[in-house]
């Protein structure tokens, strides 16, 4: 357990860069699932490793050992090392739990506040129009979901561009993209390195919605023009006062890259280095799979070692 328990804490050093690079070579939908899944799995392994460190340290304390019916101290590790490590892991685990609860509560509070703020305004189907002059539009999840748009944004776009913008925001609602972002936000409180997955995930979700909107309206150029003009219109203005920080909007993210991707200009999309060809992608995918598998296997191995040590210590009393 001594070595294995540290592996999940170190593995994001390799897994996060590999996930970012692989996501750049995948379609947006696959990239979003990949990044979210990696964030959740790596966060789970990190949490398990911290929990095992806490358990290993706690079982070396006489009151806890007595509760566990241990007649001898655990054989794994030096108490002079394990007890401080367990204390630090316990503090980290408590901080992670508090931060995750705070983020989840803030997410729910912001969504409720936004729905209360938009409730008095006219609604047509799933479309809610705010009278604000500042251009803004975003997808507000809930039951039912709403596409919130200001009068200023409606004036900034043509009729065809409005339809493309609405299709983009509806794609966010239909695929429940806010849950992808919330999962990543909760994962990053477990390990600070997982914060590196936030930006590529947000980009992948916007590209997913871009492609869905282009398919819906049947014109990639109109969709690209709608996104570009909406971003230019919204650029000088602050977001709507009640827009939650966790919702997605067509005007966010690296808009030039998204427009270039819609227009079929991958060289202008500013993608970072990717190994050339299918073989290169397979190498990156294999590296990422190895990192995630190794992290999960190390956590399971550490748990098995701790369980075996506890059984040995309990066996002396029988």
């Amino acid at each position: 357990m001594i070595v294995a328990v540290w592996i999940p804490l170190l593995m994001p050093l390799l897994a996060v860069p590999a996930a970012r690079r692989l996501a750049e070579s995948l379609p947006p939908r696959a990239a979003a699932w990949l990044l979210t899944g990696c964030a959740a799995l790596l966060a789970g392994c990190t949490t398990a490793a911290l929990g095992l460190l806490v358990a290993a340290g706690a079982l070396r304390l006489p009151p806890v050992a007595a509760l566990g019916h241990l007649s001898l101290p655990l054989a794994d590790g030096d108490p002079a090392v394990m007890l401080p490590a367990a204390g630090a892991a316990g503090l980290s685990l408590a901080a992670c739990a508090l931060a995750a609860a705070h983020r989840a509560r803030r997410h729910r509070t912001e969504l409720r506040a936004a729905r209360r703020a938009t409730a008095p305004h006219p609604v047509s189907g799933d479309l809610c129009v705010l009278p604000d002059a500042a251009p803004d539009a975003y997808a507000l999840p809930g039951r039912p979901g709403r596409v919130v748009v200001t009068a200023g944004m409606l004036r900034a776009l043509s009729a065809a561009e409005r339809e493309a913008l609405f299709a983009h925001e509806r794609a966010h609602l239909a695929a429940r993209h806010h849950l992808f972002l919330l999962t990543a936000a909760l994962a990053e409180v477990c390990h600070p390195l997982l914060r590196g997955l936030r930006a590529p995930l947000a980009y992948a979700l916007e590209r997913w919605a871009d492609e869905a909107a282009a398919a819906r309206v049947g014109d990639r150029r109109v969709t690209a023009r709608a996104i570009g003009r909406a971003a230019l219109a919204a650029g000088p203005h602050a977001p709507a006062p009640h827009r939650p920080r966790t919702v997605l909007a067509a005007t966010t993210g690296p808009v030039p890259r998204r427009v270039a991707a819609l227009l079929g200009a991958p060289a202008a999309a500013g993608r970072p280095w990717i190994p050339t060809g299918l073989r290169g992608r397979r190498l990156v995918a294999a590296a990422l799979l190895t990192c995630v598998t190794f992290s999960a296997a190390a956590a399971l191995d550490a748990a098995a070692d701790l369980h075996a040590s506890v059984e040995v210590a309990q066996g002396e009393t029988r």
Side-chain angles (χ1 to χ4, degrees), residues 53 147 199 211 225 228 237 247 260 274:
L53 281 171
V147 175
E211 293 296 331
R225 190 167 64 245
H237 303 279
V247 302
I274 300 292

Side-chain angles (χ1 to χ4, degrees), residues 169-252:
E169 305 301 350
R170 285 170 179 143
H172 283 318
L173 294 174
R176 302 179 69 81
H177 286 170
H178 68 289
L179 295 182
F180 288 74
L181 284 182
L182 181 60
T183 300
L186 295 177
E188 73 181 38
V189 304
C190 298
H191 200 299
L193 289 179
L194 296 180
R195 191 172 300 138
L197 298 177
R198 182 199 303 173
L201 174 59
Y203 174 73
L205 293 174
E206 291 299 341
R207 285 284 300 117
W208 182 351
D210 290 344
E211 293 296 331
R216 178 75 177 181
V217 301
D219 193 326
R220 298 179 68 84
R221 296 188 66 85
V222 169
T223 305
R225 190 167 64 245
I227 292 167
R229 292 188 64 181
L232 287 173
H237 303 279
H242 296 288
R243 187 214 279 191
R245 283 171 285 188
T246 52
V247 302
L248 290 148
T251 57
T252 59

Side-chain angles (χ1 to χ4, degrees), residues 5-318:
V5 76
W6 299 104
I7 291 175
L9 303 178
L10 300 175
M11 200 51 64
L13 284 167
L14 301 175
V16 169
R20 289 172 62 99
R21 293 189 179 233
L22 181 59
E24 289 291 338
S25 66
L26 294 176
R29 181 174 181 174
W33 278 105
L34 170 77
L35 293 166
T36 306
C38 284
L41 287 171
L42 292 171
C45 292
T46 296
T47 303
L50 292 174
L52 289 169
L53 281 171
V54 172
L59 287 169
R60 285 171 167 79
L61 300 175
V64 180
L67 288 174
H69 304 289
L70 306 184
S71 61
L72 293 174
L74 295 182
D76 282 351
D78 183 354
V81 175
M82 294 303 297
L83 288 176
L91 290 175
S92 298
L93 204 56
C96 290
L98 290 174
H102 172 71
R103 292 207 178 189
R105 184 171 61 250
R106 185 180 68 185
H107 174 76
R108 183 177 60 183
T109 301
E110 288 181 351
L111 288 182
R112 287 179 175 176
R115 293 192 72 82
R116 286 195 299 268
T118 58
H121 299 288
V123 175
S124 176
D126 63 351
L127 185 64
C128 176
V129 179
L130 305 181
D132 301 1
D136 197 14
Y138 57 91
L140 180 60
R143 296 184 180 179
R146 292 276 185 260
V147 175
V148 181
V149 62
T150 64
M153 183 62 80
L154 293 178
R155 287 193 292 267
L157 304 179
S158 67
E161 292 165 352
R162 290 175 201 159
E163 288 305 314
L165 180 68
F166 298 158
H168 175 101
E169 305 301 350
R170 285 170 179 143
H172 283 318
L173 294 174
R176 302 179 69 81
H177 286 170
H178 68 289
L179 295 182
F180 288 74
L181 284 182
L182 181 60
T183 300
L186 295 177
E188 73 181 38
V189 304
C190 298
H191 200 299
L193 289 179
L194 296 180
R195 191 172 300 138
L197 298 177
R198 182 199 303 173
L201 174 59
Y203 174 73
L205 293 174
E206 291 299 341
R207 285 284 300 117
W208 182 351
D210 290 344
E211 293 296 331
R216 178 75 177 181
V217 301
D219 193 326
R220 298 179 68 84
R221 296 188 66 85
V222 169
T223 305
R225 190 167 64 245
I227 292 167
R229 292 188 64 181
L232 287 173
H237 303 279
H242 296 288
R243 187 214 279 191
R245 283 171 285 188
T246 52
V247 302
L248 290 148
T251 57
T252 59
V255 173
R257 283 182 64 195
R258 294 166 49 203
V259 170
L262 281 169
L263 295 178
R271 292 182 177 180
W273 177 84
I274 300 292
T276 305
L278 181 60
R279 182 179 179 183
R281 289 194 293 272
R282 285 177 175 173
L283 287 174
V284 178
L288 177 60
L289 181 61
T290 300
C291 289
V292 174
T293 303
F294 198 37
S295 182
L300 291 173
D301 183 61
D305 284 350
L306 179 61
H307 183 263
S309 297
V310 170
E311 286 190 330
V312 169
Q314 288 176 333
E316 296 297 325
T317 63
R318 297 171 185 172

